Amino acid sequence: AAGGAVKESELERTLRQQLQMLHVPTPQQEYVFAPPRRWRFDFAWPKLKLAVEVEGGEYTRGRHFRPAGFRADAEKYFAADLRGWRVLRFTGSQVRSWHAARTISSLLGGDEL
């Protein structure tokens, strides 16, 4: 995004706000983890090599669920694994139900609701 602004989806905004409410350490958003490749994680805690991906489109057959998108994601997550990253992937329903935020909070020592 222009000027370094983060372009976030509604689900990413929801998760970011939930993490703030649970006092989870602030992640970096749209973190590039394998330069010169332009792969990005939705949320990352680089010192911990922990990343979170919000997989929207579970009911609309979004990009992650079409063959080309699925192959690209598999390549990205394999590259992340080879670099020692732990990648947590959450669906939209897991974000909306607070499951994603609570899971991340439990891993990073935030508050429990």
Side-chain angles (χ1 to χ4, degrees):
V6 173
K7 180 185 174 203
E8 64 182 353
S9 70
E10 180 181 342
L11 287 170
E12 290 166 354
R13 182 173 39 259
T14 297
L15 181 57
R16 178 178 50 78
Q17 291 169 342
Q18 291 170 346
L19 294 174
Q20 288 172 339
M21 293 187 335
L22 292 174
H23 302 102
V24 170
T26 303
Q28 291 188 34
Q29 289 183 259
E30 296 299 316
Y31 181 78
V32 177
F33 73 92
R37 295 296 302 254
R38 295 189 338 203
W39 286 317
R40 299 173 188 274
F41 292 131
D42 295 331
F43 300 94
W45 292 265
K47 289 182 182 175
L48 302 173
K49 286 207 165 187
L50 176 67
V52 169
E53 291 281 273
V54 177
E55 308 289 4
E58 63 191 295
Y59 298 109
T60 60
R61 297 193 46 81
R63 187 197 79 73
H64 300 288
F65 297 92
R66 293 191 294 265
F70 186 84
R71 281 191 301 273
D73 284 350
E75 183 181 359
K76 172 182 172 179
Y77 299 134
F78 180 69
D81 188 54
L82 290 178
R83 288 164 174 78
W85 283 88
R86 181 178 188 185
V87 181
L88 306 178
R89 300 172 67 191
F90 295 104
T91 64
S93 57
Q94 289 174 314
V95 170
R96 287 186 289 274
S97 71
W98 284 76
H99 172 75
R102 287 190 181 111
T103 299
I104 297 162
S105 179
S106 70
L107 288 172
L108 297 179
D111 298 337
E112 289 296 324
L113 285 180

